Amino acid sequence: MVKTKDNGKPSSPKRVKKPSSRELLELKKMSWKQIDGLDRNKTVFFLPISPLEEHGPHLPVGTDLLTAEDTAIQAMRIVEERYDDVTCVILPSIPVGFCKFNSDFPGTISVSSRVVKDIVYGYGSALACHGFKNLIICTYHMALSHLKGIYSAMDKLRRKYDMRICEPWSPVFYDNSIEEKEPKLGFDTSKEVHAGFRETSLIKYQYPYLLDPMYASLQSIYRDVNSPKFVGKTFKEIGLTDGYIGSPAKADADYGRWFFQFTVDTYVLAVEALIRGEKLPDLPKNVRSKMKLLFWE
Ligand SMILES: [Zn+2]
């Protein structure tokens, strides 16, 4: 498939030939010449960004980053198969996010929400300066202070460059779509907040060799982390000494497959809305307002 720059002129010598329909374009492996040959309006960039953070004693610290990247890659494959004229390019996965609340465990690396904003804005504006329009932010880390960085960078990119940009997963996470659509399990999955049933199922499906078999003996632990009495406290300070909230022992690879695919489908729908110029997914209004009230940390 040959793509040319969409500048209204007859095709110039700048052309990018995709190596094969199955091979994904990675920005870090491309020359500026190849990047310059991409169609500004028909290229969609994917930016996976999530912190390294403890995910209980049984899951890798890269759980969110691995999931964001893998689901983005799968979504890119589907989009490219469906739309011959759309090119997807993945940006390097950025192991960055705000997760101060569990930084009392080794392996958690938290940066401020301002740093998250600067990075997302830095990547977006660098692309927008060269006329690129479409960017999907892929994050699996749902802490509001982290999302505050991402959303304010996205707002600024829309204002300054008229960029078509969205972060599709948190709108689904925060509007209860997962509970509505997931297979019925007979227990309340909305309390599976961190490294619990859902994330353990994901890793059991996607990376079984990274799941410590001791997950099966972990007790269910629940905490309402949004409770005012826990504000500003770390996981250990509220008694989460193993660093998880939920029921990891219930993990199920079939659910993991469903959850993975549901995330992929969410990304594909967002790309379709983006390329058709339709309304893009956004956080529910009440979550947006709550996020705005948070301090920059
Ligand atoms: Zn996670």
Side-chain angles (χ1 to χ4, degrees):
M1 204 182 332
V2 174
K3 313 275 164 136
T4 56
K5 204 160 88 170
D6 185 22
N7 55 7
K9 293 176 195 160
S11 58
S12 71
K14 292 173 192 162
R15 281 166 179 253
V16 171
K17 193 174 187 313
K18 271 203 263 177
S20 85
S21 62
R22 299 295 299 174
E23 211 165 316
L24 294 169
L25 290 178
E26 294 178 65
L27 193 81
K28 68 182 174 210
K29 295 183 179 168
M30 298 171 76
S31 67
W32 73 261
K33 201 89 177 149
Q34 288 174 308
I35 297 161
D36 201 24
L38 295 167
D39 184 323
R40 272 30 180 189
N41 292 310
K42 294 283 186 178
T43 300
V44 182
F45 290 92
F46 288 70
L47 179 66
I49 177 168
S50 285
L52 299 180
E53 61 164 346
E54 68 79 18
H55 270 74
H58 59 300
L59 296 177
V61 293
T63 294
D64 288 359
L65 191 67
L66 288 166
T67 307
E69 180 178 296
D70 294 343
T71 48
I73 288 171
Q74 193 53 31
M76 289 168 64
R77 290 207 170 100
I78 294 173
V79 169
E80 294 218 339
E81 267 173 31
R82 261 183 220 173
Y83 301 92
D84 202 38
D85 59 339
V86 174
T87 300
C88 296
V89 179
I90 194 157
L91 299 163
S93 294
I94 303 180
V96 151
F98 174 89
C99 46
K100 207 165 115 193
F101 42 81
N102 54 3
S103 56
D104 43 4
F105 292 83
T108 295
I109 297 165
S110 181
V111 302
S112 73
S113 34
R114 276 202 192 281
V115 168
V116 175
K117 179 181 175 181
D118 287 350
I119 290 173
V120 173
Y121 184 76
Y123 269 81
S125 59
L127 295 169
C129 278
H130 290 279
F132 292 105
K133 288 276 166 216
N134 307 306
L135 178 61
I136 301 273
I137 311 288
C138 303
T139 190
Y140 229 66
H141 184 62
M142 295 290 103
L144 280 185
S145 289
H146 174 70
L147 294 174
K148 183 182 173 84
I150 292 176
Y151 275 75
S152 61
M154 293 200 303
D155 289 344
K156 195 170 164 190
L157 288 165
R158 289 189 192 109
R159 276 198 311 271
K160 262 194 109 167
Y161 299 101
D162 202 22
M163 224 180 174
R164 304 271 302 149
I165 175 169
C166 79
E167 180 281 302
W169 184 243
S170 69
V172 163
F173 181 86
Y174 279 106
D175 78 356
N176 303 322
S177 299
I178 304 169
E179 286 86 351
E180 278 164 28
K181 292 181 180 153
E182 73 190 351
K184 296 300 157 237
L185 298 152
F187 66 100
D188 182 3
T189 52
S190 67
K191 292 182 183 163
E192 302 297 320
V193 176
H194 180 71
F197 164 73
R198 284 191 181 132
E199 287 187 298
T200 309
S201 297
L202 264 178
I203 295 295
K204 194 173 179 179
Y205 162 62
Q206 187 74 349
Y207 294 98
Y209 54 94
L210 296 182
L211 174 60
D212 191 313
M214 56 85 82
Y215 82 93
S217 61
L218 293 172
Q219 303 274 338
S220 299
I221 293 175
Y222 299 107
R223 282 289 183 292
D224 175 11
V225 284
N226 295 317
S227 162
K229 63 180 176 179
F230 296 147
V231 170
K233 298 225 161 87
T234 65
F235 271 21
K236 281 191 183 170
E237 285 167 351
I238 62 172
L240 297 165
T241 50
D242 272 337
Y244 65 91
I245 306 172
S247 309
K250 290 191 171 121
D252 171 44
D254 285 337
Y255 181 90
R257 182 186 300 111
W258 176 84
F259 200 47
F260 184 91
Q261 194 54 47
F262 180 62
T263 313
V264 171
D265 294 345
T266 302
Y267 286 150
V268 172
L269 284 173
V271 175
E272 290 181 332
L274 194 127
I275 55 185
R276 289 180 191 144
E278 292 167 0
K279 192 175 177 290
L280 297 171
D282 200 352
L283 276 169
K285 277 209 175 73
N286 62 327
V287 181
R288 271 268 198 180
S289 324
K290 210 169 144 189
M291 196 170 74
K292 276 200 183 118
L293 292 174
L294 293 172
F295 290 114
W296 284 99
E297 294 188 78

Short mmCIF file of all heavy atoms in Angstrom, two decimals, residues 53-55 63-64 140-142 193-195 199, ligand 1:
data_model
loop_
_atom_site.label_atom_id
_atom_site.label_comp_id
_atom_site.label_asym_id
_atom_site.label_seq_id
_atom_site.Cartn_x
_atom_site.Cartn_y
_atom_site.Cartn_z
N GLU A 53 4.24 0.65 38.24
CA GLU A 53 3.80 0.75 39.64
C GLU A 53 3.50 -0.64 40.17
O GLU A 53 3.11 -1.54 39.41
CB GLU A 53 2.55 1.64 39.78
CG GLU A 53 1.36 1.16 39.02
CD GLU A 53 0.04 1.80 39.43
OE1 GLU A 53 -0.05 2.43 40.48
OE2 GLU A 53 -0.93 1.60 38.68
N GLU A 54 3.66 -0.77 41.48
CA GLU A 54 3.39 -2.09 42.07
C GLU A 54 1.97 -2.52 41.74
O GLU A 54 1.05 -1.70 41.74
CB GLU A 54 3.65 -2.05 43.58
CG GLU A 54 2.67 -1.19 44.41
CD GLU A 54 1.34 -1.89 44.67
OE1 GLU A 54 1.27 -3.12 44.54
OE2 GLU A 54 0.37 -1.19 44.99
N HIS A 55 1.84 -3.81 41.43
CA HIS A 55 0.53 -4.39 41.18
C HIS A 55 0.40 -5.65 42.04
O HIS A 55 0.29 -6.76 41.53
CB HIS A 55 0.36 -4.74 39.70
CG HIS A 55 -0.23 -3.63 38.88
ND1 HIS A 55 0.49 -2.52 38.52
CD2 HIS A 55 -1.48 -3.44 38.37
CE1 HIS A 55 -0.30 -1.70 37.83
NE2 HIS A 55 -1.50 -2.23 37.71
N THR A 63 2.30 -3.87 34.47
CA THR A 63 0.98 -4.37 34.05
C THR A 63 0.20 -3.36 33.20
O THR A 63 -0.29 -3.69 32.12
CB THR A 63 0.15 -4.78 35.30
OG1 THR A 63 0.79 -5.91 35.90
CG2 THR A 63 -1.28 -5.15 34.93
N ASP A 64 0.12 -2.12 33.66
CA ASP A 64 -0.66 -1.12 32.91
C ASP A 64 0.00 -0.78 31.58
O ASP A 64 -0.68 -0.64 30.55
CB ASP A 64 -0.81 0.18 33.73
CG ASP A 64 -1.76 0.00 34.90
OD1 ASP A 64 -2.31 -1.09 35.07
OD2 ASP A 64 -1.93 0.98 35.66
N TYR A 140 -3.70 2.76 30.76
CA TYR A 140 -4.49 1.82 31.54
C TYR A 140 -4.51 2.23 33.00
O TYR A 140 -5.05 1.54 33.84
CB TYR A 140 -3.92 0.41 31.36
CG TYR A 140 -4.98 -0.58 31.04
CD1 TYR A 140 -5.68 -0.49 29.83
CD2 TYR A 140 -5.35 -1.58 31.92
CE1 TYR A 140 -6.69 -1.36 29.54
CE2 TYR A 140 -6.36 -2.46 31.62
CZ TYR A 140 -7.03 -2.35 30.43
OH TYR A 140 -8.04 -3.22 30.14
N HIS A 141 -3.90 3.38 33.27
CA HIS A 141 -3.79 3.85 34.64
C HIS A 141 -4.88 4.90 34.85
O HIS A 141 -4.87 5.94 34.20
CB HIS A 141 -2.40 4.44 34.84
CG HIS A 141 -2.13 4.88 36.25
ND1 HIS A 141 -2.13 4.00 37.30
CD2 HIS A 141 -1.86 6.10 36.78
CE1 HIS A 141 -1.87 4.65 38.41
NE2 HIS A 141 -1.71 5.93 38.13
N MET A 142 -5.82 4.62 35.75
CA MET A 142 -7.03 5.43 35.83
C MET A 142 -7.05 6.44 36.97
O MET A 142 -8.09 7.03 37.27
CB MET A 142 -8.26 4.51 35.92
CG MET A 142 -8.47 3.65 34.68
SD MET A 142 -9.02 4.64 33.25
CE MET A 142 -7.54 4.77 32.29
N VAL A 193 -10.35 -2.83 42.17
CA VAL A 193 -9.76 -1.53 41.86
C VAL A 193 -8.33 -1.60 41.35
O VAL A 193 -7.94 -0.91 40.41
CB VAL A 193 -9.83 -0.63 43.13
CG1 VAL A 193 -9.13 0.70 42.89
CG2 VAL A 193 -11.28 -0.39 43.52
N HIS A 194 -7.53 -2.46 41.97
CA HIS A 194 -6.10 -2.45 41.60
C HIS A 194 -5.49 -3.83 41.79
O HIS A 194 -5.48 -4.35 42.91
CB HIS A 194 -5.37 -1.41 42.47
CG HIS A 194 -3.91 -1.32 42.18
ND1 HIS A 194 -3.41 -0.76 41.01
CD2 HIS A 194 -2.82 -1.74 42.87
CE1 HIS A 194 -2.10 -0.83 41.01
NE2 HIS A 194 -1.71 -1.42 42.12
N ALA A 195 -4.98 -4.39 40.69
CA ALA A 195 -4.31 -5.70 40.73
C ALA A 195 -5.22 -6.80 41.28
O ALA A 195 -4.75 -7.80 41.82
CB ALA A 195 -3.01 -5.62 41.54
N GLU A 199 -7.31 -7.23 36.53
CA GLU A 199 -5.93 -7.13 36.03
C GLU A 199 -5.19 -8.46 36.14
O GLU A 199 -4.37 -8.80 35.29
CB GLU A 199 -5.18 -6.02 36.78
CG GLU A 199 -5.65 -4.65 36.34
CD GLU A 199 -4.81 -3.53 36.92
OE1 GLU A 199 -4.78 -3.38 38.16
OE2 GLU A 199 -4.19 -2.80 36.13
ZN ZN B 1 -3.15 -1.35 36.81
#
